[in-house]
Amino acid sequence: MAQQRSPEFAPHDAPLREDVRRLGTLVGNMLAEQVAPAFLDEVERVRTAAIARRHEGAPLALLAEPLTGVETAHAEALARAFATYFQAVNIAERVHRIRRRRDYQREDHAPQPESLLDALGRLKEQGVGAAELLEWLARLRVEPVFTAHPTEAMRRSLLEKEQAIVRALIDNFDPSRTPQERKEDDDRIFMALSSAWQTAEASPVRPSVQDEHHHVGFYLANPIYRIVPALYESLADALQQVYGVAVALPRLLSFATWVGGDMDGNPNVGADTIAASLGNQRAHVLEHYIDDIAGLARLLSQTEGRVGVDDGLARRLADYRQRFPEAAAQVRPRHADMPYRAFLAVVKARLQATHDDDHPEAYASPQDLLADLQLIADSLLDHRGLHAGAYAVQRLIWRVRSFGFHLARLDVRQDSRVHDDALAALFGEADWPERDDAARAQALQPYASGERAFGDSDDAGAQSLKAVFATLRDARKRYGSDAVGLYIISMARSAADVLAVLALARHGGLVAEEDRVPLDVAPLFETVDDLANAPATLRALFGDPVYRAHLDQRGGRQWVMLGYSDSGKDGGTLASRWGLQRAQVELLEVANEAGVRLSFFHGRGGSASRGGARIAPALMSSPRGSVAGVLRVTEQGEVIHRKYGIRALALRNLEQTVGAVLRASLRPREQDEREAVWRERMGELAANSRKTYRAFVDHDGFIDYFRSATPIDVIERMTLGSRPSRRRSMRGVQDLRAIPWVFAWTQCRSIITGWYGLGTALEQGAAAFGEEALAEMASDWPFFANMLDDVEMVLAKSDLDIAEAFSQLAGELHEPFFALIREEFERTTRWVLRLKGADELLRDAPKLKVSIRLRNPYIDPMSLLQVDLLRRWRAGGSEDDALLRALVACVNGVSQGLQNTG
């Protein structure tokens, strides 16, 4: 392979280099103590060989030789050792992001790029006035949606140890720390590393839905819950600095989750998990509020005679003493002259009672709690309390406004074919799924409108769905309307698929006042063909009188979910990207014609193959009008940990997101008259790319090759999630879920899901339109430029020599398939570099280049270990559990090293 230079750090990244060195030394000392000094020496020899291969062009065989035939337990230890090293690199990089943020805040110059201060400054430069900005803020709606799709499963105990290391490194920012204090920091890090080494990375038991809920809840109820008020404070500060205005900010941020509600292909999810998830979320958020109220009570010790309080608060306290005697009994006699503390004691007791819905002293809604908190805040402000507790009360107000009594809205998802099977039973028509779309829609109208009702059925599927909708009905009554999110229809292909949900919802009793179904239904368009047909589906839906009446009752907003994962698996990266871009434009046109507000829900994953991208460039390159103040996007897998695992980075991520939504909404990129020609060319490029990609995955023997040349069989045995990795028996690519599909190709280091077919399309495009025309598109069209940037990153993370070692596991299928992979890889790399005018990958992304090169010496040995272990495991009939454990260690390690894997 081509030689690579050692990582070169920019001057301001010198502290990162020092942290990497410091953590590397501590990891080495831990390995020597926990295993043996000789083991550390062996790890260093392998690491040195990996560096020699990368930097001096040494043959792969020299690195592979000492990793072949290694005793199983020793191989697992080696994999874990390398994984620990680059976990340290990951932590160092995250901490350095916090350091750089502080540098920007400390230095008196331009704001940090993509901060709220930077975003508002750019908008002002573009002519956005305060009135226009405030009008858009009132419309802003940002909602990250957390899903249970782990490609990097990490136990909560390990997350907590990682946070201990982060805190120790951040403490070291203080230059006044003494040598003894720095030694204590190292001791804390060493303890976390040592106890982590003695902890298995994942449970041998496949996680339940409840386990997944606790995992996602770790982020929602910890870092995110804590930093939400800081986001609003940051926005208020930016408004003051840039526009000189101070206003009460509207709620613009909320959260949602799929954990417990995503039934698509998961038999473990249903009515019971929906109820359990909502109940657990309510319990979590109430406990946080109770803790915060207790903290406020300790802070607000103001006494009568020293400062006054508003009459309204005094009257409310007197009223509560009469109406809620149990709660009032919690007020201590010695606090009788402390009105805030006395009032908060009652508030706390009422919150504790709210755990029981039927308790007479429970809060009926979060709005009632907000009213009490606002009374306190107003009273403090009226009596010189701005700096005597009002800020702390306001922070809790922002949390209650953001999280309510539900913490996160719960989406529900099901496959349209499951609905059809239930309807076949309810109608008593076995051929129901085969009927044409128009006939099904016509038959469903009276049931969707409530004119007719289904009778009971003993069909298990129909009963299960009835229970789901009944649970959603009960959840709205118990937790409030904000607790229930979207109902998403996978594989939605017609208006009948949407009407089916309304009919089934009525069958389950999900009917509110005025005989309406209180549910937002979102069709999910997933494949390239579904995206192309989506405008016709939506046009038919808007033309249906029953559905239009439902939409009017829901405020005239239609949600559409766009599937980045399956479209990429179906047509390759370029066809998927263009299909999604084109669909948004055409769907907006349909909605505008019908007078409907259309909002998109983006089903993105972590990898570029599944729509993963930096948020600001992604939104600024999206079709004009497609953002319009709204961003709803999935967060899943290792992305959740990377974005939200540390408070400071969670805040930074949310600031970047809100700023990008504001910029893309108020001042989207300007119209370019060349775009009509570019779109026409892109249509041809996408078609050619898809043709090349489909020729590869539809090639005779491909499924056998895929199952041999990737560790998909290991991934299927891993206890990563509660959902099966396949939708049904494995007949073709369409039957494999997109996440394990991308995960498997990433593990074998070819990552074809992120680039295959593009090189051929670009080569054919250059022949048809001219290379200069493509270079112009790459330079001037954000959509095309961002796509090339993402592909370039994937190419840089790929390693075709290691991929070839995996491919050789496929025996006689290796040569015909891998020849295609290498040829297309080289073609794609060549054309990406030519269109970007570069002589090496990532020339214009030095930080990313350094990040990848820091990890390669640790990832490469694990990949080669994995090849050897995979060969041995399969030779034994895939029954050796010790070999499987070693393989899982390799898979987990590579996943964490490459980061955006799924």
Side-chain angles (χ1 to χ4, degrees):
M1 65 178 294
Q3 295 184 20
Q4 297 182 4
R5 295 187 296 273
S6 299
E8 297 177 0
F9 292 85
H12 60 252
D13 292 332
L16 169 61
R17 177 170 52 193
E18 174 58 26
D19 278 351
V20 170
R21 184 203 61 77
R22 178 186 181 189
L23 290 177
T25 299
L26 289 170
V27 169
N29 293 342
M30 180 274 293
L31 293 175
E33 177 185 276
Q34 293 295 314
V35 186
F39 178 74
L40 174 60
D41 293 340
E42 180 184 4
V43 169
E44 282 301 301
R45 286 195 300 274
V46 174
R47 187 176 72 90
T48 301
I51 293 172
R53 172 184 173 251
R54 289 280 177 176
H55 301 159
E56 302 168 14
L60 183 66
L62 290 179
L63 177 59
E65 183 179 357
L67 299 170
T68 301
V70 177
E71 190 270 328
T72 304
H74 193 66
E76 181 180 0
L78 283 172
R80 294 187 64 215
F82 289 122
T84 303
Y85 269 111
F86 62 65
Q87 285 167 12
V89 174
N90 290 347
I91 292 172
E93 287 185 340
R94 289 168 185 158
V95 169
H96 190 57
R97 288 184 60 197
I98 299 172
R99 182 186 289 112
R100 292 294 297 145
R101 178 179 172 84
R102 292 187 176 190
D103 289 344
Y104 275 104
Q105 292 172 339
R106 187 166 45 243
E107 297 167 4
D108 186 19
H109 56 61
Q112 184 176 15
E114 298 182 10
S115 66
L116 284 171
L117 191 60
D118 175 59
L120 267 57
R122 288 172 179 262
L123 289 172
K124 187 174 183 180
E125 291 175 359
Q126 292 176 295
V128 175
E132 183 183 5
L133 177 61
L134 294 176
E135 179 186 348
W136 271 97
L137 279 176
R139 289 189 256 166
L140 210 66
R141 181 174 180 175
V142 175
E143 189 169 53
V145 182
F146 293 78
T147 70
H149 290 207
T151 52
E152 184 188 41
M154 184 180 290
R155 279 180 154 161
R156 181 164 182 162
S157 56
L158 294 177
L159 292 173
E160 292 168 347
K161 297 180 199 311
E162 180 181 283
Q163 290 187 338
I165 296 173
V166 168
R167 286 192 294 272
L169 291 175
I170 290 176
D171 286 346
N172 204 44
F173 289 177
D174 182 359
S176 68
R177 289 181 76 77
T178 66
Q180 177 61 30
E181 288 172 327
R182 293 181 184 276
K183 179 182 180 302
E184 291 171 357
D185 292 339
D186 283 350
D187 289 344
R188 287 156 57 198
I189 295 172
F190 195 79
M191 180 172 63
L193 290 171
S194 300
S195 57
W197 179 261
Q198 296 177 358
T199 305
E201 289 77 11
S203 169
V205 179
R206 183 174 293 276
S208 66
V209 176
Q210 186 77 355
D211 293 329
E212 292 173 339
H213 169 78
H214 286 309
H215 183 76
V216 169
F218 173 84
Y219 299 97
L220 281 171
N222 289 286
I224 292 173
Y225 178 85
R226 292 297 165 199
I227 58 90
V228 159
L231 174 73
Y232 286 97
E233 291 163 1
S234 180
L235 179 56
D237 289 344
L239 279 168
Q240 182 68 52
Q241 289 189 52
V242 177
Y243 287 97
V245 297
V247 296
L249 294 173
R251 187 184 80 163
L252 48 86
L253 181 67
S254 59
F255 298 88
T257 177
W258 280 15
V259 181
D262 185 9
M263 301 179 290
D264 180 16
N266 192 343
N268 302 305
V269 177
D272 55 341
T273 61
I274 291 172
S277 291
L278 287 169
N280 287 332
Q281 288 175 190
R282 179 187 180 91
H284 286 163
V285 78
L286 286 176
E287 286 303 317
H288 277 291
Y289 293 159
I290 290 168
D291 289 345
D292 284 353
I293 290 293
L296 285 177
R298 290 190 295 271
L299 172 66
L300 300 180
S301 58
Q302 288 89 338
T303 55
E304 295 173 353
R306 292 294 179 92
V307 68
V309 297
D310 282 356
D311 291 342
L313 186 139
R315 287 193 300 270
R316 181 70 58 86
L317 177 57
D319 176 55
Y320 278 6
R321 286 183 186 274
Q322 289 186 342
R323 292 171 52 201
F324 308 122
E326 288 186 26
Q330 300 302 312
V331 179
R332 297 179 182 178
R334 62 192 302 270
H335 295 160
D337 64 339
M338 296 180 173
Y340 295 124
R341 186 169 287 184
F343 186 64
L344 286 166
V346 179
V347 170
K348 179 182 176 183
R350 292 196 66 194
L351 276 172
Q352 290 169 330
T354 306
H355 281 293
D356 179 358
D357 297 313
D358 298 325
H359 197 292
E361 300 193 2
Y363 277 106
S365 71
Q367 286 69 36
D368 293 343
L369 173 61
L370 282 169
D372 282 349
L373 295 174
Q374 195 62 54
L375 274 176
I376 300 172
D378 291 343
S379 179
L380 286 166
L381 293 174
D382 290 342
H383 297 87
R384 306 183 309 281
L386 176 63
H387 300 292
Y391 280 123
V393 177
Q394 183 59 52
R395 287 195 142 215
L396 181 53
I397 287 173
W398 279 123
R399 289 182 178 126
V400 177
R401 292 182 68 179
S402 300
F403 300 107
F405 284 171
H406 59 277
L407 185 63
R409 297 204 302 160
L410 182 64
D411 284 357
V412 177
R413 181 172 71 144
Q414 185 55 282
D415 193 307
S416 63
R417 292 166 292 191
V418 174
H419 298 153
D420 280 340
D421 290 343
L423 289 168
L426 290 169
F427 277 116
E429 300 179 12
D431 64 343
W432 171 262
E434 282 71 50
R435 295 179 65 180
D436 65 71
D437 296 339
R440 287 190 296 125
Q442 185 177 7
L444 283 166
Q445 283 179 341
Y447 296 92
S449 67
E451 294 177 19
R452 300 185 64 181
F454 291 117
D456 288 331
S457 170
D458 58 2
D459 177 78
Q463 289 181 343
S464 175
L465 281 171
K466 184 177 183 179
V468 164
F469 287 108
T471 300
L472 294 178
R473 175 200 62 207
D474 296 341
R476 289 187 81 257
K477 294 177 181 177
R478 184 178 183 188
Y479 307 118
S481 58
D482 279 351
V484 178
L486 304 182
Y487 192 102
I488 299 145
I489 313 169
S490 299
M491 296 298 172
R493 294 188 169 119
S494 70
D497 290 334
V498 180
L499 291 174
V501 173
L502 297 185
L504 290 167
R506 288 186 178 275
H507 182 56
L510 181 55
V511 181
E513 60 276 3
E514 300 178 4
D515 193 39
R516 62 186 181 87
V517 175
L519 193 66
D520 290 321
V521 184
L524 166 55
F525 300 114
E526 301 179 77
T527 68
V528 174
D529 288 339
D530 288 348
L531 288 166
N533 296 328
T537 300
L538 220 58
R539 186 173 286 110
L541 192 60
F542 293 158
D544 185 279
V546 172
Y547 187 74
R548 191 55 190 260
H550 167 77
L551 202 57
D552 291 342
Q553 292 171 338
R554 299 299 298 166
R557 183 193 296 274
Q558 175 65 51
W559 285 95
V560 165
M561 185 172 182
L562 301 173
Y564 290 69
S565 304
D566 278 283
S567 59
K569 178 168 67 74
D570 172 53
T573 189
L574 181 57
S576 169
R577 291 242 183 159
W578 180 238
L580 289 158
Q581 185 88 351
R582 183 189 60 198
Q584 290 177 74
V585 172
E586 295 175 354
L587 289 171
L588 283 168
E589 291 174 352
V590 171
N592 290 335
E593 292 170 3
V596 173
R597 288 183 299 154
L598 185 63
S599 294
F600 294 109
F601 177 17
H602 299 273
R604 295 180 181 271
S607 66
S609 311
R610 298 185 52 241
R614 288 180 52 232
I615 191 65
L619 292 187
M620 293 307 295
S621 64
S622 60
R624 280 172 292 277
S626 63
V627 179
V630 176
L631 178 67
R632 200 173 200 265
V633 60
T634 54
E635 303 279 28
Q636 54 191 246
E638 76 282 350
V639 174
I640 297 177
H641 181 55
R642 191 170 69 244
K643 287 185 177 180
Y644 301 102
I646 301 173
R647 290 184 190 179
L649 297 188
L651 176 59
R652 167 68 170 159
N653 174 68
L654 291 175
E655 283 192 6
Q656 288 175 304
T657 302
V658 171
V661 172
L662 283 171
R663 290 185 58 208
S665 301
L666 274 81
R667 290 297 183 269
R669 57 190 175 82
E670 296 182 1
Q671 180 74 41
D672 191 316
E673 60 184 13
R674 297 172 292 176
E675 281 195 35
V677 175
W678 292 343
R679 286 194 294 267
E680 184 177 343
R681 291 172 181 165
M682 186 54 64
E684 187 169 333
L685 290 172
N688 289 338
S689 176
R690 184 186 187 190
K691 181 180 179 181
T692 302
Y693 174 85
R694 289 306 315 187
F696 182 72
V697 300
D698 291 336
H699 196 289
D700 288 345
F702 173 79
I703 293 300
D704 291 336
Y705 175 73
F706 167 67
R707 295 198 65 83
S708 300
T710 75
I712 184 61
D713 45 350
V714 176
I715 293 169
E716 289 172 343
R717 296 273 291 273
M718 292 173 69
T719 56
L720 286 173
S722 67
R723 191 169 72 163
S725 61
R726 307 181 198 172
R727 286 188 167 95
R728 55 188 73 83
S729 61
M730 187 70 178
R731 297 188 303 270
V733 173
Q734 70 276 8
D735 294 328
L736 186 72
R737 293 194 179 278
I739 293 170
W741 166 256
V742 174
F743 198 16
W745 286 114
T746 303
Q747 284 289 317
C748 74
R749 308 291 294 279
S750 65
I751 325 182
I752 68 163
T753 53
W755 53 264
Y756 198 93
L758 177 63
T760 296
L762 293 177
E763 187 171 80
Q764 293 173 345
F769 318 128
E771 185 174 337
E772 289 186 5
L774 292 182
E776 178 187 58
M777 293 167 61
S779 172
D780 298 347
W781 192 14
F783 165 76
F784 194 46
N786 285 337
M787 187 274 298
L788 291 178
D789 285 345
D790 290 340
V791 170
E792 181 183 22
M793 181 270 292
V794 174
L795 294 171
K797 288 189 173 185
S798 302
D799 188 311
L800 265 286
D801 291 340
I802 290 178
E804 184 172 20
F806 274 95
S807 181
Q808 288 168 348
L809 296 172
E812 62 183 15
L813 293 174
H814 158 64
E815 289 191 9
F817 280 101
F818 194 74
L820 294 172
I821 291 174
R822 186 176 286 281
E823 182 181 2
E824 186 66 12
F825 179 85
E826 293 173 350
R827 182 184 293 113
T828 303
T829 302
R830 181 170 63 252
W831 276 102
V832 167
L833 291 176
R834 287 174 68 166
L835 295 184
K836 293 174 74 72
D839 57 356
E840 64 174 351
L841 294 172
L842 301 181
R843 180 197 64 183
D844 301 324
K847 288 185 178 179
L848 179 57
K849 184 190 298 184
V850 168
S851 179
I852 292 173
R853 289 180 178 173
L854 279 173
R855 289 170 174 78
N856 282 336
Y858 308 113
I859 302 174
D860 295 352
M862 281 193 298
S863 292
L864 294 173
L865 263 177
Q866 188 179 155
V867 171
D868 183 61
L869 293 168
L870 199 55
R871 181 184 295 110
R872 291 154 57 186
W873 183 60
R874 289 172 177 170
S878 304
E879 295 179 356
D880 189 321
D881 289 341
L883 280 171
L884 179 61
R885 285 194 299 272
L887 278 165
V888 169
C890 291
V891 170
N892 282 334
V894 172
S895 168
Q896 294 169 11
L898 294 176
Q899 293 193 302
N900 47 357
T901 60

